[in-house]
Amino acid sequence: MPTATLTSKGQMTIPKVIRDELDLKPGDRVELNVLPDGRVLMTPTVPLASLAGILPKPKRAYTVEDMNTAIVEAVSRKYKRR
């Protein structure tokens, strides 16, 4: 099991085997959470830019007018129920 040593400044180096497994690169950020049993869960955060293109493109482009119409219809449906 890989280990790391804490420096006097509170820093530690994540062992290479762990960095490779998590595909961590310099500058990447990780979230640390202390679990109830005292273990620490380290989760890489996902840069927003890396999410670009993961959703399918819409079948058609919507205009501002389309969106405004949809908002008016949704609001009117909501208030008709009351």
Side-chain angles (χ1 to χ4, degrees), residues 8-50:
S8 61
K9 292 184 178 184
Q11 300 171 338
M12 75 176 151
T13 300
I14 300 170
K16 182 171 181 359
V17 65
I18 302 296
R19 292 192 317 263
D20 290 346
E21 180 70 26
L22 296 176
D23 195 30
L24 292 173
K25 306 286 186 260
D28 285 352
R29 299 183 68 83
V30 296
E31 183 178 292
L32 303 171
N33 292 294
V34 179
L35 301 177
D37 64 3
R39 292 181 297 153
V40 175
L41 176 65
M42 181 175 73
T43 308
T45 58
V46 179
L48 192 56
S50 71

Side-chain angles (χ1 to χ4, degrees), residues 44-66:
T45 58
V46 179
L48 192 56
S50 71
L51 300 177
I54 65 169
L55 295 176
K57 294 194 185 251
K59 294 179 180 171
R60 72 178 194 100
Y62 293 95
T63 66
V64 173
E65 290 78 19
D66 292 335

